[in-house]
């Protein structure tokens, strides 16, 4: 007997049970050589293992509700009469010899099959839930008549066959009802085993129910039906069966599910039994139960083969689809696994070759760590860019240039303070205190800042604004910027745009350039570490002209509150929010600021300081900070008011206080050196040594060098109690150091001249002297007073008049001079010198004409202008920033010459004149007033239109000035050429 071991895969939805059986030898008369070989083989095998043959099959499910899916059933078959079977061709389909023979069964128990019909030659385990039926089956087996009819159950009309409801109700069906629900054609099934309610059937031959015999258990009468006769050499049948076989082979190739069965079948059965082939194909195909039932009912062999072919072809298609689905899924999974594996391998290889440095991971974790603190506040698109760059970094070669670019980029990206702000101070009183602490005066600037804070307090947030501080150098624009930052509790960052021509300084380079850097603003944010700093942009009026791109428009993009919420730096390539930044710009000349920028700014002018203000600044601010910076204690030094005043009046006459600060620093540096020297001398004296200076120059100490240096320094020494010696000693120490450092006279060599002096009293060694600087010894510290061009004449001579100008350096006084070059009939002409623009030249011409007409009025007979060639000079520094304002000064100068009258003493004037003699308003009243005060002017003439400007000045600026406001030149004439003045002369 043929031994078959059928092991199949676990899930086989389309077949519930199957096995090829040797009973295929239904036609021993077959002349097929294959069959003969097969018969021989089977006989041999049967003899060798006569007694027991194991058949295994795998069954997925037969009852649906058993829950024992995939149970492996081992069936033992007794093969006792195999030989006799062979000798009796009629019993070929019997697997277990029984008496009576299968064909003798004409009345059988009807077993309902819920899922599929049973094909001859196949196993099928079913579950019998009906106890009566089960008992009857067992009874049959005992009576050596283990046969029953297996019939497929029809679907209940109107109910979907797949529903589990039907399965359950199968077991409730009884008698006639069941009879009517069964298909007529079924299979004679041999009961091979009964275990519990599991009954294993083997299909034998086709049956047709004819009538109902008894109802419970259902017993029916049956006819045994045979296939219609066919011609086994029929080409069409052969071809069809070959096609079935080759399709089965294809199925086999794509799936190992039925491999064993198909192989066995095609190898051993070959083409000898076409009806069996058809049954086999149908049984293993995935056809539904009706299609299978159709095959079972078909008795025409050719038609049955055709039906089977359809089923297996369909099966093949399903296989293909299944395969492609499986392949796609497998590819996806394996693709990911592959990637992972390759990445791991790559890492390992790189590590092995030393390419993968630990730096890389360290770098990544450093960047991750940095960004961790901003994770909640950082905009998501930034986080995404960082994440992408980090991934990129991992994949790049550590030695490649791109790696460096990415690393630097990440360095910048992660170093910025995304969404991190410093807590702003909205406390007006505290802010006021801070501002006052740092700067004297500047009331309007401070007021504006306090307003800003007040608005911030009411609104809850302060908005980015652009404040522009304008004024001459040294008036404290930069330092007040710093102070505002302190008052607002914002971080401070300063950068100067003076001469800036490269747009990349502001907008950054593109990352592709070697050595690319982000712009100043990004650098600033990295530097300060908060997103709301105060940024001071210095010298905005001195912006350069870029050859590629305009720095002014780049700055505009940066500053404009409308645009800078999404400022895009070329390097960073992600927008950054600058709307919370407070911008403060500084400029000397507001007119030079590009207009679009100026439009968006709030200009606060700082005019400069008068002597009185400078005194306060010097005393309360500059001196204090310098003293601290030099490490000198207050008790060690005293600079008298007279000394300070002398310093301000004779050395530092400019609008700002920077020079004053420099001079004070100079004084304190010298004092520091002096104190240290004295200390050193005292220490040496304690040791009882004769002190000699180590300076080589010291040997050249002589009278001449002392002369250059000026007078000896006067030092008042006071004894101070020292902590180490609890004794006081009074000692007078003579001057030991004479030093000159006169920068204004740069041709004078600076020499340190040291004189040795024996310390007379050892006990006084540790005494520290108090240095006194007063008016008399001021020159020792800062050199001789600077020659001052502003005030040359005590009384201006004929043809010379003092004017007031307003320049980038602040206000200033200047002399406008006119002399007569030539005289003669018709020689009347004007020659102008000085760095004058076209406007000023025209202004001079106008002045000439107006002066002539006025003289005609005053002295009708004077031929002066008609016959004199005049030379008018305007000093260079006077080029005013607000256009011409020297018209009236020029007229007065010419008239003075023409009439040979001097103008009033200590008079200065400013104003532009029309051809008809009307006076036009001017700018910079405050600056000019301050300048006039500095030059000891007593009387000022201003255009009457400027009266308001003057009235707004603080009383200390206006104090003691005789100011005339004029609308017409005749008024000036009256003031300037007052007769007393000329009478005096
Ligand atoms: P600017 O930027 O206008 O050229 P700075 O801000 O550099 O001038 O000021 C020069 C120096 O003068 C600074 O040390 C500053 O502290 C000091 N200074 C200017 N104005 C005042 C003031 N009103 N009170 C105290 N110090 C002042």
């Amino acid at each position: 007997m043929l031994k078959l071991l059928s092991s199949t895969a676990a899930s086989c939805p389309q077949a519930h049970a199957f096995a090829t059986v040797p009973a295929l030898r239904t036609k021993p008369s077959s002349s097929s050589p294959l069959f003969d070989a097969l018969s021989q083989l089977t006989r041999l095998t049967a003899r060798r293992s006569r007694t027991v043959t194991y058949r295994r099959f795998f069954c997925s499910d037969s009852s649906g509700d058993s829950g024992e899916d995939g149970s492996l059933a081992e069936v033992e078959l007794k093969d006792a009469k195999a030989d006799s079977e062979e000798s009796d061709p009629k019993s070929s389909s019997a697997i277990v010899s029984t008496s009576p023979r299968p064909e003798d069964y004409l009345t059988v128990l009807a077993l309902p099959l819920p899922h599929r019909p049973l094909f001859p030659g196949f196993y099928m385990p079913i579950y019998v839930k009906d106890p009566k039926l089960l008992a009857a089956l067992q009874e049959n087996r005992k009576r050596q008549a283990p046969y029953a009819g297996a019939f497929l159950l029809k679907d209940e009309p109107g109910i979907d066959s797949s529903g589990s409801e039907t399965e359950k109700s199968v077991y409730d069906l009884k008698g006639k009802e069941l009879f009517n629900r069964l298909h007529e054609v079924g299979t004679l099934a041999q009961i091979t085993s009964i275990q519990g309610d599991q009954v294993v059937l083997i299909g034998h031959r086709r049956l047709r129910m004819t009538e109902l015999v008894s109802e419970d258990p259902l017993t029916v009468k049956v006819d045994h039906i045979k296939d219609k006769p066919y011609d086994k050499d029929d080409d069409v049948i052969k071809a069809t069966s070959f096609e079935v076989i080759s399709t089965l082979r294809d199925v086999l190739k794509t799936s190992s599910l039925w491999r064993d069965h198909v192989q066995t079948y095609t190898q051993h059965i070959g083409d000898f039994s076409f009806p069996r082939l058809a049954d086999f194909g149908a049984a293993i195909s995935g056809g539904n139960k009706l299609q299978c039932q159709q095959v079972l009912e078909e008795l025409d062999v050719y038609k049955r083969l055709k039906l089977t072919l359809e089923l297996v072809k369909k099966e093949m298609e399903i296989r293909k689809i299944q395969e492609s689905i499986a392949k796609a899924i497998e590819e996806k999974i394996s693709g990911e696994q592959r990637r992972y594996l390759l990445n791991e391998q790559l890492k390992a290889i790189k590590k092995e070759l030393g390419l993968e440095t630990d730096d890389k991971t360290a770098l990544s974790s450093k960047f991750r760590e940095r960004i961790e603190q901003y994770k909640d506040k950082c905009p998501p698109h930034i986080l995404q860019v960082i994440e992408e760059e980090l991934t990129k970094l991992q994949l790049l070669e550590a030695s490649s240039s791109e790696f460096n670019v990415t690393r630097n980029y990440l360095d910048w990206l992660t170093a910025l303070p995304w969404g991190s702000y410093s807590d702003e101070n909205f406390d007006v009183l505290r802010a006021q205190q801070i501002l006052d602490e740092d700067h004297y005066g500047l009331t309007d600037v401070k007021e504006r800042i306090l307003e800003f804070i007040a608005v911030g307090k009411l609104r809850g947030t302060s908005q980015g604004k652009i404040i522009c501080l304008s004024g001459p150098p040294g008036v404290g624009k930069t330092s007040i910027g710093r102070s505002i930052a302190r008052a607002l509790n914002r971080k401070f960052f300063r950068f100067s745009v003076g001469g800036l021509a490269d747009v990349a300084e502001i907008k950054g380079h593109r990352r592709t350039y070697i050595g690319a850097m982000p712009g100043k603003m990004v650098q600033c944010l990295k530097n300060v570490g908060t997103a709301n700093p105060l940024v001071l942009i210095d010298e905005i009026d001195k912006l350069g002209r870029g050859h590629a791109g305009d720095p002014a428009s780049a700055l505009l993009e940066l500053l404009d509150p409308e645009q800078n919420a999404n400022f895009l730096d070329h390097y960073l390539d992600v927008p950054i929010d600058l709307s919370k930044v407070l911008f403060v710009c500084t400029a000397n000349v507001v007119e030079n600021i590009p207009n679009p920028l100026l439009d968006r700014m709030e200009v606060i002018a700082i005019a400069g300081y008068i002597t009185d203000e400078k005194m306060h600044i010097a005393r309360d601010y500059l001196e204090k900070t310098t003293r601290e910076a030099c490490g000198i204690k207050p008790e060690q030094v005293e600079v008298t008011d007279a000394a300070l005043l002398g310093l301000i009046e004779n050395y530092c006459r400019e609008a700002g206080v920077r020079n004053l600060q420099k001079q004070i620093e100079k004084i304190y540096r010298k004092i520091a050196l002096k104190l240290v020297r004295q200390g050193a001398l005292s220490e040496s004296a304690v040791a009882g040594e004769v002190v000699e200076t180590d300076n080589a120059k010291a040997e050249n100490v002589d009278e001449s060098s002392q002369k250059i240096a000026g007078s000896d320094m006067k030092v008042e020494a006071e004894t101070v109690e020292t902590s180490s010696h609890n004794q006081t000693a009074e000692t007078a120490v003579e001057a030991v150091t004479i030093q000159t450092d006169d920068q204004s006279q740069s041709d004078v060599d600076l020499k340190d001249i040291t004189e040795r002096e024996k310390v007379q009293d050892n006990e006084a060694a540790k005494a520290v002297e108090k240095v006194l600087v007063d008016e008399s010894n001021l020159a020792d510290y800062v050199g001789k007073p600077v020659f001052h061009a502003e005030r040359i004449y005590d009384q201006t001579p004929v043809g010379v008049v003092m004017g007031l100008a307003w320049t980038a350096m602040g206000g200033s006084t200047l002399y406008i001079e006119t002399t007569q070059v030539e005289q003669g009939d018709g020689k009347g002409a004007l020659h102008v010198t000085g760095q004058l623009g076209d406007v000023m030249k025209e202004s001079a011409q106008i002045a000439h004409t107006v002066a002539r007409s006025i003289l005609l009025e005053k002295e009708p007979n004077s031929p002066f202008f008609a016959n004199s060639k005049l030379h008018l000079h305007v000093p260079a520094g006077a080029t005013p920033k607000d256009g011409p304002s020297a018209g009236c000064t020029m007229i007065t100068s010419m008239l003075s010459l023409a009439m040979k009258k001097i103008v009033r003493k200590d008079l200065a004037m400013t104003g532009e004149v029309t051809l008809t003699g009307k006076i036009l308003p001017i700018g910079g009243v405050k600056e000019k007033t301050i300048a006039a005060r500095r030059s000891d002017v007593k009387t000022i003439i201003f255009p009457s239109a400027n009266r308001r400007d003057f009235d707004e000045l603080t009383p200390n600026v206006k104090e003691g000035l005789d100011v005339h406001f004029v609308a017409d030149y005749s008024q000036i004439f009256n003031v300037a050429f007052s007769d007393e003045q000329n009478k005096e002369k």
Side-chain angles (χ1 to χ4, degrees):
M1 192 154 181
L2 189 66
K3 193 201 258 178
L4 283 174
L5 286 176
S6 55
S7 59
T8 61
S11 61
C12 46
Q14 70 268 55
H16 293 103
F18 60 88
T20 50
V21 292
L24 291 173
R25 293 163 288 160
T26 43
K27 294 194 179 186
S29 57
S30 166
S31 58
S32 163
L34 191 70
F35 173 72
D36 294 342
L38 198 66
S39 305
Q40 293 247 323
L41 183 73
T42 39
R43 236 173 273 138
L44 273 171
T45 323
R47 247 176 245 128
R48 227 178 283 142
S49 56
R50 170 143 313 190
T51 46
V52 177
T53 300
Y54 291 100
R55 295 173 184 238
R56 286 180 185 186
F57 62 88
F58 196 85
C59 138
S60 70
D61 175 26
S62 60
S63 67
D65 63 352
S66 72
E68 292 178 88
D69 284 9
S71 61
L72 185 73
E74 205 166 82
V75 183
E76 186 183 301
L77 296 171
K78 287 191 175 152
D79 200 11
K81 297 198 175 174
D83 282 356
S84 68
E85 271 177 46
E86 272 159 25
S87 62
D88 175 11
K90 280 188 181 170
S91 66
S92 61
S93 59
I95 286 162
V96 179
S97 74
T98 51
S99 62
R101 296 172 305 171
E103 51 265 45
D104 296 338
Y105 289 91
L106 295 174
T107 306
V108 291
L109 286 166
L111 297 175
L113 302 177
H115 301 292
R116 292 168 70 86
L118 176 65
F119 280 96
F122 280 80
Y123 285 112
M124 181 187 278
I126 61 163
Y127 290 88
V128 179
K129 302 281 179 188
D130 181 355
K132 264 192 188 164
L133 182 58
L134 196 62
L137 287 173
Q138 267 160 345
E139 182 65 20
N140 270 2
R141 252 193 119 205
K142 274 184 204 150
R143 283 195 286 117
Q144 296 289 305
Y147 283 96
F151 298 91
L152 183 68
L153 202 68
K154 286 180 202 162
D155 285 338
E156 207 177 326
I159 292 182
D160 186 5
S161 60
S162 62
S164 55
E165 289 295 311
T166 14
E167 276 179 31
K168 272 178 200 159
S169 59
V170 166
Y171 307 108
D172 300 335
L173 291 172
K174 293 265 155 60
K176 201 160 177 76
E177 201 186 348
L178 180 63
F179 180 75
N180 289 335
R181 284 282 302 280
L182 294 176
H183 282 276
E184 248 180 35
V185 177
T187 322
L188 182 71
Q190 184 183 352
I191 301 151
T192 60
S193 79
I194 301 176
Q195 280 175 357
D197 59 353
Q198 191 191 52
V199 178
V200 180
L201 308 173
I202 297 175
H204 271 264
R205 45 174 59 207
R206 286 170 164 76
L207 295 177
R208 177 174 281 119
M209 292 195 287
T210 49
E211 57 185 273
L212 192 147
V213 178
S214 76
E215 287 205 6
D216 199 14
L218 182 67
T219 314
V220 290
K221 265 197 174 157
V222 290
D223 286 344
H224 289 244
I225 48 175
K226 287 211 165 79
D227 297 335
K228 283 183 190 161
Y230 67 98
D231 178 5
K232 68 181 177 55
D233 292 324
D234 184 285
D235 288 345
V236 181
I237 293 180
K238 266 189 185 167
T240 315
S241 66
F242 286 151
E243 187 56 27
V244 172
I245 289 171
S246 82
T247 313
L248 283 172
R249 276 215 177 97
D250 286 345
V251 176
L252 176 91
K253 261 185 232 159
T254 60
S255 153
S256 61
L257 203 59
W258 310 113
R259 189 165 299 166
D260 290 343
H261 311 288
V262 177
Q263 258 177 356
T264 316
Y265 193 86
T266 50
Q267 274 170 17
H268 299 295
I269 310 306
D271 58 353
F272 93 95
S273 171
F274 300 123
R276 289 286 179 206
L277 178 66
D279 286 351
F280 179 83
I284 69 160
S285 78
N288 64 30
K289 61 185 190 181
L290 284 179
Q291 286 168 325
C292 291
Q293 180 65 25
Q294 221 182 334
V295 175
L296 189 71
E297 286 177 10
E298 187 54 68
L299 298 178
D300 183 305
V301 173
Y302 168 63
K303 281 186 186 160
R304 195 192 291 170
L305 273 172
K306 253 181 71 178
L307 284 172
T308 299
L309 185 59
E310 265 173 41
L311 289 180
V312 293
K313 283 277 180 204
K314 206 169 159 194
E315 174 72 11
M316 183 64 207
E317 285 310 307
I318 292 170
R319 288 268 160 237
K320 275 186 189 159
I321 295 170
Q322 183 192 345
E323 199 181 38
S324 67
I325 292 171
K327 210 169 155 188
I329 290 173
E330 201 173 293
E331 260 172 21
K332 199 177 157 209
I333 294 170
S334 69
E336 274 163 19
Q337 278 176 343
R338 233 172 92 88
R339 237 180 103 83
Y340 174 76
L341 249 155
L342 286 174
N343 259 329
E344 288 300 304
Q345 278 175 357
L346 185 74
K347 269 190 209 163
I349 290 169
K350 281 185 169 174
K351 211 163 194 170
E352 200 63 29
L353 293 176
L355 296 174
E356 173 90 320
T357 50
D358 285 338
D359 293 5
K360 213 161 161 182
T361 20
L363 258 180
S364 295
S365 54
K366 182 178 99 183
F367 292 143
R368 274 185 205 287
E369 215 171 274
R370 271 202 213 159
I371 203 66
E372 199 57 46
Q373 52 178 320
Y374 304 119
K375 206 131 211 176
D376 307 332
K377 302 174 226 159
C378 185
H381 64 275
I382 309 283
L383 283 178
Q384 194 189 339
V385 172
I386 292 176
E387 209 45 61
E388 278 166 15
E389 291 296 315
L390 277 171
T391 323
K392 197 165 135 198
L393 192 76
Q394 284 305 320
L395 299 176
L396 287 171
E397 196 74 58
S399 55
S400 70
S401 63
E402 212 184 329
F403 178 84
N404 276 329
V405 172
T406 311
R407 187 185 58 192
N408 286 343
Y409 182 44
L410 270 169
D411 201 10
W412 280 103
L413 268 183
T414 52
L416 295 186
W418 299 108
S420 142
Y421 302 97
S422 59
D423 292 334
E424 272 200 273
N425 167 42
F426 292 128
D427 182 346
V428 180
L429 295 179
R430 196 182 138 240
Q432 170 121 42
Q433 192 190 338
I434 290 173
L435 291 173
D436 286 342
E437 247 170 49
D438 294 348
H439 290 87
Y440 173 83
L442 298 176
T443 9
D444 33 0
V445 185
K446 290 177 183 171
E447 207 51 34
R448 179 63 197 89
I449 302 309
L450 295 177
E451 283 164 26
F452 178 84
I453 295 175
V455 171
K457 188 180 172 76
L458 294 181
R459 281 190 39 164
T461 66
S462 71
Q463 222 198 344
K465 273 267 153 30
I466 321 175
I467 295 170
C468 178
L469 301 170
S470 80
V475 290
K477 299 183 296 294
T478 314
S479 67
I480 191 114
R482 204 180 290 274
S483 187
I484 295 169
R486 198 159 82 88
L488 292 173
N489 191 29
R490 285 177 180 236
K491 288 276 168 54
F492 179 80
F493 186 83
R494 166 180 180 267
F495 71 93
S496 175
V497 293
L500 183 138
D502 190 358
V503 176
E505 287 275 330
I506 295 163
K507 293 271 290 171
H509 302 101
R510 300 212 177 275
R511 283 203 302 288
T512 39
Y513 293 127
I514 293 173
M517 284 275 282
K520 269 276 154 43
M521 206 51 225
V522 175
Q523 295 179 27
C524 154
L525 291 182
K526 181 185 176 184
N527 222 304
V528 297
T530 57
N532 63 338
L534 182 146
V535 176
L536 186 96
I537 302 178
D538 241 345
E539 320 254 31
I540 200 157
D541 56 334
K542 299 184 190 67
L543 212 54
R545 286 251 158 265
H547 41 84
D550 182 12
S553 43
L555 254 190
L556 184 67
E557 198 185 326
L558 178 74
L559 295 176
D560 189 358
E562 305 284 314
Q563 300 181 43
N564 68 7
N566 282 309
F567 177 74
L568 192 73
D569 184 276
H570 288 323
Y571 183 89
L572 222 54
D573 222 14
V574 287
I576 46 176
D577 182 7
L578 299 180
S579 60
K580 297 285 186 300
V581 177
L582 176 64
F583 289 101
V584 176
C585 308
T586 75
N588 292 137
V589 185
V590 173
E591 282 71 19
N592 291 352
I593 301 176
N595 264 333
L597 277 177
L598 188 62
D599 264 4
R600 287 162 175 83
M601 289 173 179
E602 208 178 308
V603 180
I604 304 175
I606 306 177
Y609 303 108
I610 57 170
T611 308
D612 183 38
E613 288 172 323
K614 283 184 183 175
M615 277 296 279
H616 276 106
I617 294 171
R619 185 58 89 203
D620 301 335
Y621 297 88
L622 304 179
E623 220 194 333
K624 222 185 255 173
T625 47
T626 316
R627 195 165 51 218
E628 275 163 24
C630 293
I632 299 170
K633 295 187 190 83
E635 63 268 18
Q636 289 177 302
V637 69
E638 190 190 333
V639 180
T640 62
D641 279 353
L644 271 188
L645 190 67
L647 199 63
I648 292 164
E649 300 237 291
N650 302 324
Y651 296 81
C652 319
R653 301 180 69 106
E654 77 287 336
V657 292
R658 185 171 291 129
N659 197 24
L660 181 61
Q661 188 182 19
K662 274 193 210 155
Q663 300 291 354
I664 292 176
E665 277 167 7
K666 203 194 258 177
I667 293 172
Y668 273 84
R669 274 204 312 274
K670 284 190 200 305
I671 294 172
L673 178 63
K674 189 176 143 44
L675 290 171
V676 172
R677 277 222 171 103
Q678 270 179 6
L681 275 175
S682 312
E683 272 171 28
S684 315
V686 171
E689 285 172 11
V690 176
V691 179
E692 272 195 77
T693 55
D694 53 352
N695 195 336
K697 282 179 187 170
E699 269 136 49
N700 300 329
V701 173
D702 56 21
E703 292 297 315
S704 62
S705 54
Q706 280 193 25
K707 239 185 256 165
I708 296 166
S711 60
D712 281 4
M713 192 174 287
K714 195 167 81 190
V715 179
E716 239 180 48
E718 241 175 56
T719 49
V720 177
E721 197 174 298
T722 59
S723 55
S724 54
H725 295 75
N726 285 330
Q727 45 185 194
T728 43
E730 267 194 16
T731 178
V733 181
E734 279 187 38
V736 288
T737 308
I738 301 156
Q739 215 175 19
T740 57
D741 184 9
D742 194 343
Q743 283 174 356
S744 57
Q745 296 175 13
S746 55
D747 51 345
V748 179
D749 279 359
L750 307 177
K751 286 185 179 174
D752 289 348
I753 300 149
T754 315
E755 257 189 32
R756 290 172 287 159
E757 188 71 25
K758 279 185 186 172
V759 179
Q760 291 164 348
D761 192 353
N762 278 353
E763 285 182 357
K766 292 276 171 175
V768 179
E769 299 79 20
K770 179 167 187 172
V771 181
L772 180 82
V773 181
D774 66 12
E775 214 179 353
S776 59
N777 69 350
L778 184 66
D780 300 340
Y781 291 88
V782 291
K784 287 211 175 101
V786 190
F787 166 75
H788 222 279
E790 272 190 50
R791 181 92 193 199
I792 317 170
Y793 308 102
D794 189 30
Q795 164 67 60
T796 48
V798 164
V800 179
V801 179
M802 185 187 270
L804 293 171
W806 182 26
T807 70
M809 302 293 286
S812 68
T813 52
L814 56 108
Y815 291 106
I816 288 184
E817 304 162 317
T818 315
T819 63
Q820 195 176 26
V821 183
E822 249 185 305
Q823 201 173 13
D825 271 2
K827 292 240 166 150
L830 179 68
H831 174 58
V832 186
T833 56
Q835 288 179 357
L836 306 181
D838 287 345
V839 180
M840 280 289 274
K841 278 179 188 153
E842 276 172 15
S843 176
Q845 289 298 335
I846 293 166
H848 193 228
T849 311
V850 176
R852 194 169 178 167
S853 64
I854 289 170
L855 190 69
L856 202 67
E857 212 179 274
K858 303 282 175 194
E859 295 176 16
N861 301 325
S862 170
F864 180 80
F865 283 107
N867 296 341
S868 308
K869 184 176 179 185
L870 302 181
H871 179 180
L872 179 112
H873 178 67
V874 183
T879 314
K881 67 177 180 182
D882 62 333
S885 66
C888 62
T889 325
M890 289 193 266
I891 297 172
T892 314
S893 159
M894 288 178 206
L895 285 177
S896 160
L897 186 70
M899 301 186 300
K900 305 223 168 3
K901 283 184 177 177
I902 55 166
V903 296
R904 185 200 269 224
K905 194 170 182 276
D906 299 331
L907 170 79
M909 62 184 73
T910 178
E912 191 53 30
V913 186
T914 64
L915 271 176
T916 54
K918 293 272 172 271
I919 310 293
L920 300 173
I922 47 102
V925 171
K926 186 176 180 191
E927 288 85 349
K928 286 177 176 174
T929 314
I930 292 169
R933 283 189 81 93
R934 274 203 304 268
S935 299
D936 290 331
V937 170
K938 301 279 180 318
T939 314
I940 304 179
I941 299 174
F942 277 132
S944 56
N946 288 107
R947 185 189 285 271
R948 256 194 69 192
D949 297 333
F950 185 81
D951 289 344
E952 280 174 6
L953 300 181
T954 46
N956 62 348
V957 176
K958 294 189 281 193
E959 199 186 342
L961 286 175
D962 176 18
V963 184
H964 298 262
F965 295 98
V966 295
D968 195 277
Y969 185 76
S970 57
Q971 290 169 283
I972 299 180
F973 189 90
N974 294 339
V975 177
F977 302 106
S978 56
D979 281 342
E980 296 143 40
Q981 190 80 30
N982 288 296
K983 258 183 236 160
E984 263 175 39
K985 194 192 164 203

